Amino acid sequence: MPFRAAIAEGVDAIMSAHIQVPQLEPATAVSKLDGKPIALPATLSPHILTGVLREQLGFQGVIVTDALNMKAIADHFGSEEAAVMAVKAGADMLLMPPEPAAAVSAIHRAVEAGELEAARIDDSVRRILRMKRKYGLLPDTASPPIPLEDAIRGAEAYFQSGSAEETGDRIASEAATVWGTAVKTNLPLLRGDGGRVILIGDQRTVLERVQREIEAAASSTAGGSIQVDARTAAEAPSPRQWPAGAVAVWVTQDLHHDRGRAEAARSWFQAAAEQGIAAAVLSVGTPYDMAELPDIPLGIAVYGTTPSNLRAGV
């Protein structure tokens, strides 16, 4: 069992998932969305987080929820109720509640009403502080604190030195995920040899950022240039009318939120394959785009739209 093995190796934190496992947690709750009973997700389950993870598997580290703004939680439980339920279940850190202030207030009210014990909050604080101490994230109380102005000047000097950008580029590059049916054949896709790229996407500002990074990469790494056009899906040429020699790069972001967009992209890539068009996906959102487009020739997931993320993809 992977969790048992990770705990045996001393893993510091484990993230819960918003999955329903009736075999482990048969309890139900009433959905705020439609008033119907739904199985309690693992993130909000005392039996799974405390009974299984803490007591059966002996995990003493930090339990972090997955994002509480996901629809599986936000739609059915709301920010306030989900926050209280997650803490009661055994979570130590609540990730991305839709309304953070409301979540904090709800936890305060639950403690004051006796619904949550203050000792339960203290346990979480201790776990978080232990992990921070382990990684040197707590201030050294034996040394005098750094004056605020000095700290600000030090941070500014760090960012102006370029070290922060280099670190961001390295992390983004190592995090980028490549997938597809013909990765070895298609990499590198952009060679900076005077070719043409047509970017296709729904967010104009993101397309413009990608365009800048492609042009900069072509100039700096190949000493050449690439002609880059940014088009929305409605503006882009169809595969049958595609300009000869042009490379297509679809810039996607969270296609699973819109099944119509996902299906349109799949259909476009199928038609592009029939026409022999060189095409790829640059996914700048969550990893789910890989599941929506599993059979494309080449995809690169970079998980964000910062300059470092985009540079990792081009």
Side-chain angles (χ1 to χ4, degrees):
M1 177 174 190
F3 288 100
R4 193 183 303 278
I7 292 167
E9 291 296 321
V11 67
D12 295 301
I14 291 177
M15 176 175 281
S16 67
H18 307 328
I19 57 175
Q20 296 170 322
V21 191
Q23 294 88 343
L24 293 178
E25 178 55 273
T28 61
V30 177
S31 168
K32 289 182 178 294
L33 182 64
D34 55 20
K36 297 179 181 179
I38 59 172
L40 202 62
T43 293
L44 308 181
S45 166
H47 179 66
I48 292 177
L49 296 193
T50 298
V52 175
L53 191 54
R54 292 270 187 233
E55 296 173 0
Q56 291 184 26
L57 299 181
F59 179 61
Q60 298 303 314
V62 174
I63 297 177
V64 187
T65 71
D66 203 346
L68 296 179
N69 63 354
M70 291 181 175
K71 290 181 176 295
I73 299 295
D75 284 1
H76 295 288
F77 297 93
S79 190
E80 298 184 17
E81 183 178 354
V84 173
M85 291 178 70
V87 175
K88 290 174 69 174
D92 301 304
M93 299 178 67
L94 310 184
L95 179 64
M96 298 168 63
E99 302 173 56
V104 171
S105 296
I107 293 171
H108 274 291
R109 291 195 301 272
V111 172
E112 292 170 352
E115 184 181 354
L116 268 174
E117 294 184 3
R120 168 67 193 82
I121 307 297
D122 292 341
D123 288 342
S124 289
V125 172
R126 291 189 185 95
R127 292 188 191 103
I128 294 167
L129 290 176
R130 277 199 298 268
M131 188 166 67
K132 285 187 172 184
R133 183 181 297 113
K134 177 178 177 179
Y135 291 98
L137 300 178
L138 294 180
D140 183 358
T141 55
S143 303
I146 301 173
L148 178 59
E149 292 301 321
D150 290 347
I152 293 174
R153 281 193 292 271
E156 289 175 340
Y158 174 71
F159 283 103
Q160 291 170 2
S161 71
S163 297
E165 186 175 51
E166 292 174 4
T167 300
D169 285 353
R170 176 181 56 78
I171 293 172
S173 179
E174 292 176 0
T177 305
V178 178
W179 87 97
T181 59
V183 171
K184 292 182 179 179
T185 304
N186 286 280
L187 281 175
L189 184 67
L190 308 177
R191 296 176 174 82
D193 53 4
R196 182 182 181 190
V197 174
I198 298 180
L199 299 175
I200 306 172
D202 295 311
Q203 298 188 41
R204 182 73 67 179
T205 55
V206 175
L207 293 179
E208 291 172 352
R209 292 179 196 170
V210 176
Q211 179 175 350
R212 287 195 295 270
E213 295 301 337
I214 290 176
E215 292 170 343
S219 176
S220 63
T221 62
S225 63
I226 288 180
Q227 179 187 347
V228 184
D229 299 322
R231 310 280 184 87
T232 64
E235 298 169 343
S238 70
R240 290 186 179 275
Q241 299 171 325
W242 196 257
V247 173
V249 177
W250 275 68
V251 181
T252 65
Q253 188 167 17
D254 302 337
L255 287 177
H256 63 288
H257 289 318
D258 188 334
R259 297 301 181 187
R261 284 195 301 131
E263 182 56 39
R266 285 192 289 268
S267 297
W268 193 97
F269 272 92
Q270 182 176 354
E274 294 170 357
Q275 298 297 319
I277 298 169
V281 164
L282 179 65
S283 170
V284 299
T286 59
Y288 299 116
D289 284 357
M290 287 185 273
E292 294 292 342
L293 301 171
D295 299 321
I296 60 171
L298 173 64
I300 304 174
V302 296
Y303 313 112
T305 58
T306 69
S308 291
N309 289 125
L310 300 182
R311 281 193 287 271
V314 303

